[in-house]
């Protein structure tokens, strides 16, 4: 197949967020058997180094920069300017005439079998009548994500903004999922949510994967002890909320039951709210070369998310390495996991703390969960997941 893949937003490289990990691995696997042309529309000044690296990974890729400031002040002004528009800001800010023209030119001058819109952010850059079968790849149900953020936001001003964005997104997302010929979701839960927007038969599910060549079961290091770990992009609101909730409402009970316990927050660009959590028992690493060593050091990996959408790759990565995971229902939403067998699901602060303490105290219980976790995650290697993705594309073309 000849595949056009359009991704708007952050640079695809380095592969350091959940969405980029999912997109990169699918692209890499698809390119082994198909002719893939990637269009990467990224924010910021032109980055020749990034564009060269992108060519190295995906020859023939087209990179288009959006020379826009990424400061919070500029973001605020841009949001206010877009407030009365029917288009959600999270879509409008990645819509540009240059990208539209590029996609139109590619679709009119070259024969593609299918064109993929990666995330809703790129959707308005697609022509209304592309002449090529199109697929919307939905990593999240965006309207659900914004509703959850509004629900848990403490700032009144931000809560109002999130509610406004959620209302716009609910309307826009319904239109968008019907505009494309087919939709790929990452979980049955997301498919169920979008089934209220369009014919359920137009939505396929391709689950999240894991790179088993990197994330494989390994013996723990001597540093493991009583280490509890959270990993993720620490400038993302869902992760910021998760660690604030954990440190404020769960961690004190864990420390009371196990005074030697340590908590490590691993991830790039920690927000100042995250940095403020650092203490004698809480470590904030900032950007790290790889999360693998930190997972290897861990006795328990936690995912105390209360907001967000899609599926969390970090859970399969930790499970593949044979680590015990405690998550909220939102954190493990949409994943093929089994509470009590290969993961522990807890939505109350007390229950979450009790599960961590049980794992820290009972080596045999933790070992049983770890073995089951590694076995379950082994079913989701990216090569297998990409085959499923490819099958959907074959049916759509």
């Amino acid at each position: 197949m000849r595949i056009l893949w359009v991704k708007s937003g952050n640079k695809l490289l380095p592969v350091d967020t959940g969405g980029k990990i999912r997109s990169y691995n699918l692209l890499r696997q698809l390119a082994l058997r198909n002719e893939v042309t990637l269009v990467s529309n990224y924010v910021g000044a032109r980055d020749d180094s990034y564009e060269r690296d992108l060519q190295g990974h995906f020859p023939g890729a087209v990179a288009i920069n959006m020379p826009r400031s990424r400061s919070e002040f500029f973001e605020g002004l841009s949001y206010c300017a877009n407030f009365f528009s029917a288009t959600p800001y999270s879509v409008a800010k990645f819509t540009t005439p240059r990208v539209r023209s590029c996609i139109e030119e590619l679709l009119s001058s070259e024969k593609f079998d299918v064109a993929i819109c990666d995330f809703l952010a790129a959707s308005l850059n697609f022509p209304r009548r592309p002449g090529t079968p199109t697929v919307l790849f939905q990593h999240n149900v965006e309207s659900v994500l914004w509703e959850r953020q509004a629900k848990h936001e403490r700032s009144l001003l931000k809560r109002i903004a999130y509610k406004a964005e959620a209302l716009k997104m609910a309307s826009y997302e319904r239109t968008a999922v019907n505009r494309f010929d087919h939709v790929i979701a990452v979980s049955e839960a997301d498919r169920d949510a979008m089934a209220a927007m369009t014919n359920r038969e137009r939505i396929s599910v391709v689950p999240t994967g894991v790179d088993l060549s990197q994330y494989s079961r390994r013996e723990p290091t001597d540093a493991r002890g009583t280490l509890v770990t959270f990993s993720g992009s620490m400038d993302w609101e869902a992760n910021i909320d998760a660690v604030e909730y954990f440190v404020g409402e769960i961690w004190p009970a864990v420390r009371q039951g196990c005074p030697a316990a340590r908590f490590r927050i691993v991830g790039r660009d920690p927000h100042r709210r995250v940095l403020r959590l650092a203490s004698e028992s809480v470590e904030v690493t900032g950007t790290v070369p790889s999360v693998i060593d930190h997972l290897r050091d861990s006795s328990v990996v936690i995912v105390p998310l209360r907001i967000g959408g899609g599926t969390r790759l970090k859970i399969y990565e930790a499970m593949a390495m044979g680590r015990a995971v405690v998550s909220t229902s939102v954190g493990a939403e949409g994943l093929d996991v089994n509470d009590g067998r290969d993961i522990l699901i807890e939505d109350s602060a007390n229950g979450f703390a009790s599960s961590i303490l049980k794992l820290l105290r009972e080596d045999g219980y933790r070992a049983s969960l770890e073995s089951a976790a590694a076995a379950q995650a082994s079913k989701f290697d990216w090569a297998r997941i990409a085959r499923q993705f490819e099958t959907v594309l074959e049916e759509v073309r």
Side-chain angles (χ1 to χ4, degrees), residues 92-306:
K93 67 179 180 179
F94 297 120
T95 304
T96 70
R98 286 180 65 201
V99 180
R100 282 176 170 170
S101 296
C102 173
I103 295 172
E104 288 175 356
E105 183 177 340
L106 283 168
L107 290 175
S108 63
S109 63
E110 300 188 43
K111 179 62 177 174
F112 290 98
D113 295 300
V114 64
I116 299 169
C117 176
D118 187 5
F119 275 102
L120 207 60
S123 56
L124 273 185
N125 291 313
F126 274 69
R128 289 286 178 181
R129 296 178 178 81
T132 298
T134 56
V135 172
L136 175 61
F137 182 23
Q138 282 276 69
H139 299 238
N140 309 296
V141 181
E142 295 289 338
S143 52
V144 172
L145 188 154
W146 285 104
E147 287 169 6
R148 287 175 176 170
Q149 287 201 195
K151 179 181 178 181
H152 291 281
E153 178 53 51
R154 292 175 297 180
S155 162
L156 176 61
L157 191 60
K158 284 187 176 181
R159 189 161 63 248
I160 292 171
Y162 290 161
K163 285 182 177 178
E165 192 75 0
L167 287 171
K168 289 184 186 182
M169 187 61 76
S171 174
Y172 180 82
E173 194 164 30
R174 179 180 294 273
T175 301
V177 298
N178 285 285
R179 209 181 120 197
F180 290 82
D181 294 306
H182 200 73
V183 179
I184 294 179
V186 298
S187 71
E188 288 293 343
D190 282 8
R191 187 186 190 197
D192 289 343
M194 286 186 284
M197 307 176 193
T198 189
N199 185 336
R200 186 181 183 87
E201 301 306 312
R202 299 182 61 252
I203 309 169
S204 297
V205 175
V206 177
T208 281
V210 61
D211 186 350
L212 295 178
S213 66
Q214 290 191 65
Y215 297 92
S216 57
R217 193 165 190 193
R218 306 176 191 196
E219 288 303 310
T221 64
D222 293 337
R224 175 167 167 164
T226 54
L227 180 64
V228 178
T229 299
F230 176 89
S231 66
S233 301
M234 296 319 303
D235 58 349
W236 189 45
E237 180 60 33
N239 290 339
I240 298 170
D241 175 80
V243 294
E244 285 185 324
Y245 164 61
F246 180 77
V247 172
E249 300 188 33
I250 300 171
W251 188 236
V254 175
R255 286 277 289 173
Q256 184 176 8
C258 181
R262 296 168 297 129
F263 178 42
R264 183 179 294 169
I265 301 170
V266 181
R268 68 180 180 89
D269 300 332
H271 192 274
R272 58 182 176 273
R273 287 159 55 194
V274 177
L275 294 173
R276 284 200 293 263
L277 299 175
S279 69
E280 180 186 355
S281 66
V282 178
E283 176 188 0
V284 180
T285 68
T287 302
V288 297
S290 171
V291 74
I292 291 174
D293 288 339
H294 295 279
L295 291 176
R296 191 178 181 187
D297 284 348
S298 305
S299 286
V300 181
V301 174
I302 60 157
V303 188
L305 290 179
R306 302 189 295 178

Side-chain angles (χ1 to χ4, degrees), residues 32-49:
L32 297 176
R33 298 176 297 276
N34 304 276
E35 187 176 338
V36 178
T37 299
L38 168 64
V39 175
S40 171
N41 170 31
Y42 65 95
V43 175
R46 182 172 179 181
D47 187 338
D48 291 334
S49 176

